[in-house]
Amino acid sequence: MMHPAEIEFMAENEIIQIVPTFNHASHVHLICGSYGPFRAGLPLNVPIWVALNLRQKKTCRILAPEWMAVDKLQERLEEEKASKFFTQLPTNFYLEITQMLLTVASEDIPQGNDIKTAVKDLWDLRIAKLRSSVDLFIKEGRVQASLNHLTPMEINSVRPIFPDTLDALMTLHEHINSSDDREDSSQSSVATPSSTSFSLSL
Amino acid sequence: MDIDVRELIDEEDDDNQEEMTAQKVLQNVERAWLNEKFSPEILPHQTDYVDCLLEQIKGMEGNLAKLSKTDPKVDLHKLELERIKFIITSYLRTRLKKIESFCVSVLEEEATRSEEDAYLSPAEFKFAKEFALNADNHFDTILRHMPQLYNKLDRNKKIIEPNLNSFVFLKCNKHIDSVIIKNTLEGQEEEIVLEDGSQHLMPYNSVAEFVKKGSVQLI
């Protein structure tokens, strides 16, 4: 099981741009990679967790990623509406990144409220799509599904209930099948009368 | 005093036969963490990588103690160490939970494996054996007071096995020609191709070997 906070934790490893307000000539050699040099006013790439830490200490300004512009998000939204499948997004963590950046650095990002609404619309649209495909999947009684471009947070929104439901369905079926087998080989002494006529409508 | 952490990392690399960067080791542990979280059964241990990271953390903490507190990078290094420690502890905790839940079956399976392809690390193996022993002692103490008919616990009553057919979400790291999926609903088998980078939902059993080989990542 994954907690949403743990997915946010993974999202914090994504790279974004910041503009530091301090100078630090040498690179910072982190285990996850080297970042720097930090020069006041010059943008550089860092992981989000670094950006948030520096921003909270007010030693940098965060530059919103390119995809996080209202018109770009609207384009994505239209594309998502037009497509039958899930479209590929510029990042696997659009919801989390938007949420984190707007919480910590709302002053750095223009049109924050519009961005929030657009991202929420995108999420709602994709979740609605996900729910209807889950419904179809169960009704058709399939055992494999392609889920390309679905993001971790979206997958987590149907977990654990969806995989657990499938597990339970499979277990039920195995029991039904095994009692059918007994019926066929005429060793039905333990099978209850109802189990023969019982079948799941899938 | 300024310490070049890169130097420390390079030194580590020289000691490591596979010449892996610390970054690579971290990524491996992160992947192992997610796989362990989502797999129903316990996976082969990654003690080499975990120990390597722990060494890194220890070295880094030593170096940080020598740096002045006003250095802007101290905070970042400390924060990163906390993040890595979180992953390692979460990974180890997930494994311990599985060992506790499936203790008897984990030990039985482990007995069939040679030392090289053991799934449990030596420390985990010791823990599992002690846990099993303690559970047995506990049951014996209680069952002594039960009527004779009920005071025995056979293996089948003790054993809890993971459901290997449970459904998992996964992402392919490379093209896999053939994956066989058993369809319990229709009593037949399906064969599918997994393309590089594609994401799927299917029973864990079908991809278990690929998860262990690293060509499939659970998500």
Side-chain angles (χ1 to χ4, degrees):
Chain A
M1 242 334 272
M2 202 77 175
H3 194 277
E6 288 173 310
I7 299 178
E8 197 175 273
F9 177 84
M10 293 196 293
E12 284 172 350
N13 288 330
E14 297 279 297
I15 304 294
I16 56 163
Q17 283 206 314
I18 59 163
V19 180
T21 57
F22 65 97
N23 286 306
H24 189 78
S26 66
H27 280 64
V28 178
H29 298 297
L30 296 169
I31 292 176
C32 64
S34 296
Y35 298 96
F38 296 82
R39 296 196 200 290
L42 279 185
L44 82 155
N45 287 337
V46 291
I48 290 183
W49 62 267
V50 172
L52 295 179
N53 180 266
L54 295 177
R55 182 63 180 78
Q56 277 164 336
K57 289 187 292 188
K58 300 202 192 318
T59 53
C60 83
R61 194 156 53 80
I62 289 179
L63 298 178
E66 243 171 67
W67 56 265
M68 205 194 276
V70 179
D71 53 336
K72 286 269 164 56
L73 286 169
Q74 292 296 349
E75 274 171 35
R76 294 279 159 202
L77 203 57
E78 291 308 318
E79 209 179 300
E80 190 69 54
K81 272 183 198 158
S83 166
K84 212 180 118 195
F85 305 103
F86 294 97
T87 59
Q88 184 170 16
L89 296 173
T91 162
N92 249 337
F93 305 100
Y94 65 101
L95 188 76
E96 304 88 305
I97 294 178
T98 313
Q99 165 74 19
M100 286 189 289
L101 297 193
L102 287 178
T103 308
V104 175
S106 58
E107 297 117 66
D108 302 355
I109 300 164
Q111 293 185 284
N113 277 335
D114 295 341
I115 292 174
K116 218 182 247 178
T117 317
V119 166
K120 182 73 169 48
D121 287 347
L122 190 59
W123 167 266
D124 285 345
L125 190 61
R126 288 171 66 93
I127 291 298
K129 244 187 219 181
L130 178 58
R131 291 212 171 133
S132 56
S133 34
V134 165
D135 192 41
L136 200 67
F137 184 89
I138 292 184
K139 278 183 179 149
E140 287 182 349
R142 289 161 54 190
V143 287
Q144 191 278 133
S146 230
L147 298 166
N148 288 335
H149 309 321
L150 212 59
T151 69
M153 195 62 109
E154 288 161 353
I155 290 175
N156 212 49
S157 76
V158 290
R159 188 165 40 203
I161 183 83
F162 179 39
D164 282 1
T165 307
L166 293 172
D167 294 348
L169 274 177
M170 296 300 151
T171 313
L172 274 175
H173 259 268
E174 261 166 29
H175 282 289
I176 292 167
N177 289 342
S178 63
S179 55
D180 280 354
D181 290 349
R182 269 203 299 271
E183 204 75 5
D184 293 342
S185 54
S186 64
Q187 296 175 329
S188 58
S189 54
V190 284
T192 54
S194 61
S195 70
T196 49
S197 57
F198 178 68
S199 75
L200 279 174
S201 53
L202 279 166
Chain B
M1 192 173 120
D2 208 343
I3 286 117
D4 192 353
V5 183
R6 175 52 74 74
E7 226 171 86
L8 175 96
I9 290 168
D10 285 345
E11 272 169 31
E12 285 290 333
D13 280 352
D14 293 342
D15 295 340
N16 200 325
Q17 292 164 345
E18 288 161 24
E19 297 225 5
M20 246 188 188
T21 61
Q23 189 181 359
K24 203 82 197 184
V25 175
L26 177 58
Q27 282 167 358
N28 280 336
V29 172
E30 277 174 355
R31 277 202 285 270
W33 172 54
L34 290 178
N35 276 342
E36 199 66 65
K37 255 181 173 307
F38 296 131
S39 127
E41 65 169 337
I42 195 156
L43 295 172
H45 71 88
Q46 306 289 339
T47 312
D48 290 349
Y49 294 136
V50 171
D51 284 351
C52 175
L53 267 191
L54 288 174
E55 282 294 312
Q56 292 272 338
I57 291 176
K58 226 165 129 194
M60 189 77 93
E61 275 174 344
N63 285 346
L64 286 178
K66 296 175 210 153
L67 283 175
S68 103
K69 285 208 167 56
T70 53
D71 195 319
K73 62 185 182 192
V74 174
D75 267 2
L76 295 182
H77 282 303
K78 277 190 181 157
L79 191 54
E80 180 175 49
L81 294 185
E82 292 304 320
R83 290 175 65 84
I84 297 173
K85 280 188 208 163
F86 167 76
I87 294 176
I88 295 178
T89 47
S90 177
Y91 170 70
L92 295 175
R93 254 202 320 268
T94 310
R95 291 180 61 85
L96 285 182
K97 212 164 140 193
K98 283 186 196 168
I99 293 175
E100 288 183 2
S101 308
F102 312 127
C103 192
V104 178
S105 60
V106 165
L107 280 174
E108 277 179 6
E109 278 173 34
E110 197 67 7
T112 66
R113 295 187 189 109
S114 68
E115 207 174 311
E116 293 93 74
D117 28 59
Y119 278 19
L120 302 186
S121 72
E124 285 168 341
F125 187 57
K126 185 165 166 266
F127 172 79
K129 276 195 297 191
E130 277 171 18
F131 187 85
L133 190 68
N134 286 339
D136 278 346
N137 285 342
H138 174 67
F139 283 130
D140 286 346
T141 326
I142 295 170
L143 290 171
R144 250 203 322 242
H145 305 289
M146 298 285 280
Q148 209 166 25
L149 195 56
Y150 306 105
N151 72 357
K152 284 277 172 335
L153 205 57
D154 64 18
R155 174 192 170 272
N156 289 333
K157 280 186 185 144
K158 280 194 295 192
I159 204 155
I160 306 170
E161 276 168 337
N163 176 11
L164 297 179
N165 286 317
S166 65
F167 279 79
V168 290
F169 295 93
L170 58 100
K171 182 174 182 135
C172 262
N173 295 332
K174 62 173 160 216
H175 185 93
I176 299 171
D177 276 331
S178 153
V179 169
I180 310 284
I181 305 167
K182 206 175 132 226
N183 189 335
T184 328
L185 301 179
E186 288 159 9
Q188 47 182 261
E189 289 184 342
E190 289 174 24
E191 187 177 357
I192 62 160
V193 177
L194 299 187
E195 275 160 38
D196 188 9
S198 60
Q199 300 188 146
H200 302 267
L201 169 72
M202 63 177 76
Y204 172 75
N205 241 345
S206 309
V207 289
E209 52 166 326
F210 300 111
V211 172
K212 287 166 197 169
K213 272 193 283 182
S215 39
V216 157
Q217 171 73 50
L218 300 181
I219 52 172

